[in-house]
């Protein structure tokens, strides 16, 4: 049986979410249609929106349903940029997800955006003071930041980051895709009520990271934020995201979001204990192995581990052959593994940034998964580092 330790890439679809999707997809009617079938679809859609909004602590009207985290981030960043046309800079911390990096790069190339970078500390955290200083530099249209690192697992201090943006009177987007389901993601407690057009104004989440379907996500956009739409058409969703709405996807997302939130605290405890066991077992088998990221303020299921002298891709391949699915942070460019930009941002050398594996546990993870890794890692490491 496959040992699946890549829950941060995607976590298995929950049966309850699949059932909700199947049931909703059996009803006919466009949620924008006036007839009875359309109204039934509309009721289910709006009820699902309310349920997701309740989990995220935002108003239902603020929840824009999208095709996933990548679209949400594109809408937030391009939308905030176009709405603040007189500004010419974007605050971009190092180590962001590629959905953010590539969108900001697009803004740089096509819109002339200036990038104001913010470094990470050795544990992969954004320093709120440095973030605020960057936000206060002239001409900043918006700032963006990860709530928690999808690769390092390090949890940023979102309260401080949001306060920094409010203090600098700059709108902030938070990428909560990796954090959602693992730490509290509460829009209303992070937004700045005193100056609602700045501070936290937008937050991205994705259904398939919490056991919902792939291809469904949401962007919370505060009512007072100025965001220009990417998609134009039928005027749906405050004209922020036109197009016939995915009622079945929303219904499934609502079920998955509620279940993830209800079990969040208990799962965090269970997974942190399993994760600690995994790290202990790996370090006992491979003493050179080193846990990266914050040892305490990290996502419960995340173990981001440096294996000195071993190529991450080789380790991944060898573990895969042993029936264990994990991931590396490094992308492949034309078949050549690139160093992880996150590990580099943590101040590590190029060689280290090619020698990291990310193990991410989730709700289907069991002690037997940990045992399987601990049994397979000595040989995989010996072979990947050329010691056997
Ligand atoms: N942001 C983060 C932090 C992620 O981990 C991911 C997915 O891996 C995304 C954005 C993109 O989300 P999606 O896969 O829903 O497009």
């Amino acid at each position: 049986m496959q040992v699946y330790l890549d829950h941060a890439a995607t976590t298995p679809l929950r049966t309850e979410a699949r059932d909700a999707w199947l049931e909703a997809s059996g009803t006919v009617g466009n949620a924008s249609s006036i007839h009875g079938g359309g109204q039934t679809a509309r009721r289910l859609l709006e009820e699902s929106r309310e349920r997701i909004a309740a989990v995220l602590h935002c108003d239902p009207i603020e929840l824009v349903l999208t095709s996933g985290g990548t679209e949400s981030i594109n809408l937030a960043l391009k939308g905030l940029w176009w709405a603040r046309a007189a500004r010419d800079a974007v605050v971009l911390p190092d180590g962001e997800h590629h959905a953010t990096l590539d969108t900001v790069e697009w803004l740089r190339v096509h819109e002339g955006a200036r990038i104001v970078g913010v470094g990470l500390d050795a544990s992969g955290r954004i320093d709120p003071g440095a973030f605020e200083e960057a936000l206060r530099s002239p001409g900043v249209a918006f700032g963006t930041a990860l709530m928690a690192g999808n690769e390092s697992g390090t949890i940023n201090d979102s309260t401080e980051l949001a306060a920094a943006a409010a203090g600098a009177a700059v709108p902030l987007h938070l990428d909560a895709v990796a954090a959602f389901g693992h730490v509290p993601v509460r829009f209303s407690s992070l937004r700045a009520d005193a100056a609602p057009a700045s501070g936290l104004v937008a937050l991205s989440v994705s259904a398939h990271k919490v056991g919902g379907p792939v291809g469904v996500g949401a962007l919370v956009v505060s009512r007072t934020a100025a965001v220009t739409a990417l998609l134009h058409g039928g005027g749906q969703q405050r004209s922020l995201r036109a197009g016939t709405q995915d009622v079945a996807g929303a219904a499934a997302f609502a079920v998955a979001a509620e279940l993830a939130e209800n079990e969040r605290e208990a799962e965090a405890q269970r997974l942190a204990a399993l994760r600690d066991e995994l790290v202990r077992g790996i370090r006992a088998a491979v003493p050179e192995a080193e846990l990266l990221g914050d040892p305490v303020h990290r996502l419960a299921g995340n173990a981001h581990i440096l294996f000195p002298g071993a190529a991450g891709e080789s380790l991944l391949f060898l573990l895969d052959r042993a029936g264990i699915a994990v991931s590396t942070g490094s992308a492949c460019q034309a078949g050549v593994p690139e160093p992880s930009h996150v590990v580099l941002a943590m101040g590590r050398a190029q060689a280290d940034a090619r020698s990291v594996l990310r193990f991410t546990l989730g709700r289907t993870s069991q002690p037997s998964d940990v045992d399987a890794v601990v049994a397979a890692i000595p040989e995989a490491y010996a072979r990947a580092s050329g010691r056997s």
Side-chain angles (χ1 to χ4, degrees):
M1 220 195 49
Q2 174 86 353
V3 173
Y4 186 73
L5 293 175
D6 200 14
H7 286 263
T10 194
T11 201
L13 183 64
R14 293 171 189 267
T15 313
E16 300 88 336
R18 191 178 54 207
D19 291 348
W21 190 92
L22 283 172
E23 197 183 329
S25 63
T27 60
V28 179
N30 184 322
S32 297
S33 295
I34 311 281
H35 52 66
Q39 292 311 301
T40 305
R42 163 68 66 157
R43 266 194 302 279
L44 180 54
L45 175 68
E46 295 312 327
E47 181 200 301
S48 305
R49 194 189 309 277
E50 280 168 24
R51 291 167 65 184
I52 301 165
V55 172
L56 291 168
H57 291 225
C58 66
D59 293 339
I61 187 127
E62 294 176 312
L63 194 90
V64 178
L65 292 161
T66 66
S67 67
T70 301
E71 184 192 327
S72 298
I73 291 168
N74 270 265
L75 173 57
L77 306 192
K78 291 173 183 162
L80 285 167
W81 172 264
W82 284 319
R84 308 236 318 162
R87 316 282 173 130
D88 73 339
V90 173
V91 170
L92 175 71
D94 291 343
E96 292 292 302
H97 188 272
H98 268 285
T100 294
L101 291 179
D102 294 0
T103 302
V104 173
E105 177 59 11
W106 188 90
L107 288 173
R108 189 186 70 78
V109 171
H110 297 276
E111 300 277 315
R114 232 172 4 95
I115 297 172
V116 182
V118 182
L120 303 183
D121 70 14
S123 68
R125 178 179 296 95
I126 304 165
D127 170 38
F131 194 63
E132 178 157 2
E133 201 182 314
L135 290 168
R136 285 184 186 276
S137 59
V140 172
F142 67 86
T144 186
L146 277 164
M147 214 165 161
N150 50 293
E151 203 178 311
S152 66
T154 295
I155 299 168
N156 280 313
D157 188 337
S158 297
T159 305
E160 291 282 317
L161 297 181
V170 167
L172 171 69
H173 164 256
L174 284 178
D175 175 356
V177 172
F180 187 39
H182 304 287
V183 294
V185 176
R186 296 181 181 147
F187 191 75
S188 64
S189 49
L190 293 170
R191 79 162 107 222
D193 287 329
S198 56
L200 180 65
V201 298
L203 179 143
S204 294
V205 290
S206 179
H208 74 104
K209 309 290 187 178
V210 292
V214 175
V216 181
L219 180 69
V220 183
V221 183
S222 87
R223 242 186 283 238
T224 43
V227 173
T228 302
L230 295 183
L231 302 181
H232 302 95
Q236 292 92 342
Q237 308 203 75
R238 296 156 62 197
S239 290
L240 273 175
R241 204 261 187 183
T244 298
Q245 296 186 73
D246 176 3
V247 179
F253 188 10
V255 168
E258 281 176 351
L259 288 170
E261 181 60 16
N262 291 342
E263 68 196 27
R264 182 173 53 73
E265 283 182 22
E267 270 298 87
Q269 272 193 19
R270 186 183 76 88
L271 293 181
L274 262 187
R275 188 264 328 273
D276 290 347
E277 204 50 51
L278 174 71
V279 174
R280 255 195 305 276
I282 290 176
R283 297 211 58 237
V286 179
E288 303 91 321
E290 185 188 342
L291 179 68
L292 300 183
D294 192 300
V296 180
H297 300 292
R298 69 182 308 128
L299 298 175
N302 173 296
H304 189 219
I305 298 187
L306 169 64
F307 292 92
E313 276 64 27
S314 307
L315 280 171
L316 185 148
F317 175 71
L318 291 161
L319 289 179
D320 194 33
R321 284 218 316 213
I324 300 168
V326 300
S327 87
T328 65
S330 37
C332 263
Q333 298 276 348
V336 181
E338 291 281 298
S340 153
H341 70 287
V342 176
V343 178
L344 290 176
M346 290 156 92
R348 299 291 180 141
Q350 295 266 340
D352 286 352
R354 288 195 167 87
S355 305
V356 174
L357 284 186
R358 180 189 71 176
F359 302 83
T360 46
L361 296 86
R363 72 179 196 289
T364 57
S365 300
Q366 294 300 327
S368 57
D369 298 329
V370 171
D371 297 342
V373 174
V374 173
I377 203 77
E379 190 192 332
Y381 182 64
R383 290 185 63 185
S385 58
R387 293 171 201 200
S388 77

